[in-house]
Amino acid sequence: ISNAALGGALTLDTNTGHLHARNTATHAFIEKLGKQSQLLSLQDVKQLQKGLLPNPTCLYQTAATRYIPPIMKAIESVALLEPYVTQEEREMIAPERVLFLLEPDSSIRTAFAWLGRQPFFDAVVLLCILTSCFFLMIDPPYRDLNAAPIVPYAIMDQLNTVFTFIFSVEFGVRVLGQGLLLTKGAYLNSGWNRIDTVVLVFAWLEEIRIPGLDGGGLSKILRMGRAMKPLRLMKRNQSMRLVIDALLGTLQPLFYVISFLIFTSVIFSCIGMGLFGGRLFKCNDPANLFPLGKAECTGIWYTHNAVIRPAAWDNPYWFNFDTFYSAMTSLFQISCFKYVSILFACMDTTELDQAPNEGAFPEASIFFLIYIILGGMFCTNLFIGFVVDGFNANKGATKVEVIFGRYKRQLKKSAPCYDTFKPPLNVLSTVIRIIMQSSPFQTFSTLCVVVNVGFMLADNADSAGTEFGQIQDTQNLIFFWELVAENVLSLLAYGPGGFYNDGWRLFDLLVCVGTSIGYVSNSQALISFARIFRLMRVIR
């Protein structure tokens, strides 16, 4: 009996004290227990309403004897189970009255609740929203600019009026089925429904066309309200609502990220004003070069097409660090990773009121490097991290689902890996496998890759024919043969199937084959192309 009550097969009615069966078999079972086992006293009803029935005391007590039904003994410690109600029924029919008029069992309220749950009703509303959004896209700001629209303007206006009426009917159906504001499942309790209501209000204000508002500022605001119509689509797309809710849930932590970015920008703005304030100015006369400066920027000069221009000492860039506002705007561009022009201009600065000189202040790059790491990369990663964390926290997953997801990831990570092709079992292959799996061999292989990649990063176009170029060619040849030897050992240790079992071994083999073809064909382009893929060995 207790298992049946816990499983939902039996429910207790606190108003009458009756046990109700959820199916025919259970109902027959209760009939066999007799009517006495289905009745509870008023005191036990009160205890049931509290959620537990620890000790029934007043069950069918007479002057001669006191009888406790067996079923009550079975469910003494069973919590009170509420009758099963679907989520839609909980939302559509709340126990409160709707609009202070319609009771929960009202036929009118039940009819509107049923209509609101029908798929065809939602389909009609969704079709109206899509068509309305399409009209919004093809309707120009000024209709006299487009004389031949895809849909005639008269038909478009008539259909928009019909759509507004349909949206009003939807609003009425939802309100009469769920309630407007004060009930548990009220329509306006949802933020998405409030957006729908605001869009509907704007639509009706535009349809009414209040005299004196045509062409005014309020009329333009009402027309701007039409741009909110696509928001109604988000309400009906569960995935899109999930993303929007997750983004809204990250607003508070994102405020801390923005505060950190502003704080960092303020500090670096003050530092930038001290380093580069007033030093980005130069004379518009091309002849005024370093070590000349502001004092020599006088008179007139001729352009390449013989136009006379007065000499002026000004800032030719849109950015500068002369004021706090201009420093903040310049750093904002740097945080968006548009820093090349600002970096070069600041690295050319010299003294105050002196013409710039190329590369005169290379230490300025340290300032930009630190700010790009803190204000750009670090804040960007913080921003993305908070958004992802907020999405995971607000995507509707329960704690059990989160734990189950971790369990599945752990199973996948710990799953045994079986090789498709078994390695050779002879003595030589076994010894070579032991050597290749040893820590000294793997350290030596990694060191070779790192040294080779370091030389590749130091390579440049001017090294050909120089002593450094010869060193480059020698080390490339040495590490090529080291790679060949490593592939031969892999072949002996794991057999040909070892390259299929391990993707990294296959990758090393392809790099080795590509480099070999380049050396045989004497093709520097192929050698360089295959050498580039050696960089991927660092990941290994």
Side-chain angles (χ1 to χ4, degrees):
I1 300 299
S2 59
N3 292 336
L6 285 173
L10 302 177
T11 58
L12 297 170
D13 191 342
T14 59
N15 296 320
T16 62
H18 284 268
L19 272 169
H20 296 283
R22 299 300 303 273
N23 51 56
T24 306
T26 310
H27 178 71
F29 177 76
I30 294 179
E31 289 294 333
K32 290 183 179 180
L33 291 176
K35 295 182 179 180
Q36 287 184 336
S37 62
Q38 301 182 40
L39 297 177
L40 305 175
S41 68
L42 180 61
Q43 180 178 353
D44 294 311
V45 169
K46 293 180 179 179
Q47 291 176 340
L48 285 173
Q49 289 175 346
K50 296 179 181 179
L52 291 174
L53 188 60
N55 186 21
T57 57
C58 301
L59 299 178
Y60 283 82
Q61 186 172 6
T62 62
T65 181
R66 178 176 178 272
Y67 173 71
I68 299 178
I71 191 171
M72 291 309 305
K73 295 181 179 180
I75 60 171
E76 285 182 353
S77 60
V78 177
L80 176 64
L81 300 177
E82 297 182 358
Y84 176 75
V85 182
T86 62
Q87 184 65 24
E88 292 182 351
E89 292 174 347
R90 292 179 185 271
E91 294 179 355
M92 301 301 294
I93 302 182
E96 301 92 351
R97 290 185 298 176
V98 169
L99 300 178
F100 303 102
L101 296 174
L102 302 178
E103 297 290 341
D105 56 351
S106 171
S107 58
I108 298 177
R109 181 180 179 184
T110 305
F112 280 110
W114 174 85
L115 180 60
R117 293 195 300 266
Q118 299 309 305
F120 74 87
F121 183 77
D122 289 334
V124 172
V125 174
L126 180 60
L127 179 62
C128 294
I129 294 175
L130 292 174
T131 309
S132 178
C133 293
F134 174 72
F135 289 165
L136 183 64
M137 289 187 295
I138 65 175
D139 192 6
Y142 300 97
R143 293 185 171 182
D144 53 350
L145 298 178
N146 188 7
I150 301 177
V151 180
Y153 294 132
I155 298 178
M156 197 182 303
D157 292 337
Q158 294 175 1
L159 288 178
N160 279 328
T161 303
V162 174
F163 295 154
T164 303
F165 176 76
I166 293 176
F167 297 151
S168 302
V169 171
E170 183 206 9
F171 176 80
V173 169
R174 304 296 184 190
V175 169
L176 291 176
Q178 302 173 220
L180 180 62
L181 186 61
L182 300 180
T183 57
K184 182 178 180 181
Y187 182 74
L188 294 182
N189 285 349
S190 172
W192 294 100
N193 293 336
R194 288 195 288 267
I195 293 177
D196 280 359
T197 305
V198 172
V199 174
L200 182 61
V201 170
F202 274 107
W204 273 116
L205 290 176
E206 188 176 358
E207 291 291 338
I208 294 174
R209 301 183 185 277
I210 302 176
L213 296 181
D214 294 340
L218 184 58
S219 177
K220 295 180 180 179
I221 294 176
L222 295 179
R223 289 182 61 85
M224 289 175 58
R226 299 171 59 190
M228 300 175 63
K229 290 182 179 180
L231 294 177
R232 297 173 61 93
L233 289 175
M234 298 183 182
K235 173 187 173 182
R236 287 159 176 81
N237 190 319
Q238 184 65 27
S239 299
M240 195 175 298
R241 287 175 57 183
L242 183 65
V243 174
I244 298 299
D245 291 339
L247 290 176
L248 293 178
T250 59
L251 290 181
Q252 181 176 359
L254 289 183
F255 172 76
Y256 301 134
V257 179
I258 295 174
S259 301
F260 174 78
L261 179 60
I262 293 176
F263 178 75
T264 305
S265 300
V266 168
I267 294 177
F268 278 84
S269 295
C270 297
I271 297 175
M273 291 170 62
L275 292 175
F276 313 113
R279 287 177 168 81
L280 294 175
F281 285 80
K282 65 179 182 179
C283 187
N284 61 351
D285 185 0
N288 190 292
L289 300 175
F290 182 83
L292 303 179
K294 183 178 181 180
E296 293 79 12
C297 186
T298 57
I300 60 175
W301 60 281
Y302 296 91
T303 63
H304 65 281
N305 52 359
V307 175
I308 300 177
R309 296 188 58 182
W313 183 260
D314 59 2
N315 185 2
Y317 313 106
W318 68 267
F319 54 85
N320 61 77
F321 291 85
D322 299 338
T323 62
F324 179 76
Y325 173 77
S326 59
M328 288 288 290
T329 55
S330 301
L331 290 178
F332 176 75
Q333 180 181 356
I334 296 174
S335 63
C336 297
F337 302 104
K338 304 293 184 180
Y339 57 87
V340 177
S341 57
I342 304 178
L343 174 63
F344 286 167
C346 292
M347 289 177 64
D348 295 341
T349 57
T350 54
E351 297 297 331
L352 192 64
D353 295 335
Q354 194 173 37
N357 187 26
E358 184 176 357
F361 189 24
E363 295 81 6
S365 59
I366 300 177
F367 170 83
F368 291 95
L369 177 63
I370 297 176
Y371 181 75
I372 289 172
I373 294 176
L374 291 179
M377 297 180 180
F378 184 68
C379 288
T380 301
N381 282 285
L382 274 181
F383 186 90
I384 296 174
F386 277 121
V387 170
V388 173
D389 183 70
F391 181 81
N392 292 330
N394 295 276
K395 65 180 181 180
T398 62
K399 184 178 181 180
V400 176
E401 292 174 341
V402 173
I403 296 175
F404 182 68
R406 294 174 182 173
Y407 175 70
K408 289 198 301 183
R409 289 192 297 269
Q410 186 65 27
L411 283 180
K412 185 177 180 181
K413 182 179 179 181
S414 304
C417 181
Y418 298 99
D419 293 336
T420 305
F421 297 96
K422 300 298 181 181
L425 300 179
N426 58 76
V427 178
L428 179 62
S429 299
T430 304
V431 172
I432 296 177
R433 270 199 309 274
I434 295 175
I435 295 175
M436 294 189 67
Q437 293 174 0
S438 63
S439 178
F441 183 86
Q442 294 181 359
T443 303
F444 172 76
S445 178
T446 304
L447 184 62
C448 292
V449 173
V450 171
V451 173
N452 188 208
V453 170
F455 274 101
M456 292 173 63
L457 295 176
D459 195 8
N460 56 78
D462 299 330
S463 62
T466 62
E467 183 178 359
F468 180 74
Q470 295 176 358
I471 296 176
Q472 283 274 32
D473 295 338
T474 303
Q475 65 87 24
N476 281 328
L477 187 61
I478 292 174
F479 288 118
F480 164 71
W481 284 110
E482 185 274 336
L483 182 61
V484 171
E486 192 171 337
N487 279 275
V488 171
L489 291 176
S490 297
L491 180 63
L492 294 175
Y494 299 95
F499 296 101
Y500 179 84
N501 294 334
D502 192 341
W504 286 110
R505 294 196 195 101
L506 179 61
F507 176 79
D508 289 346
L509 178 63
L510 294 178
V511 173
C512 182
V513 171
T515 309
S516 302
I517 296 175
Y519 278 119
V520 172
S521 62
N522 199 19
S523 174
Q524 293 296 328
L526 185 58
I527 295 175
S528 301
F529 180 75
R531 195 181 300 161
I532 291 174
F533 285 97
R534 293 189 189 179
L535 297 173
M536 293 293 295
R537 300 189 70 198
V538 178
I539 302 176
R540 178 180 179 182

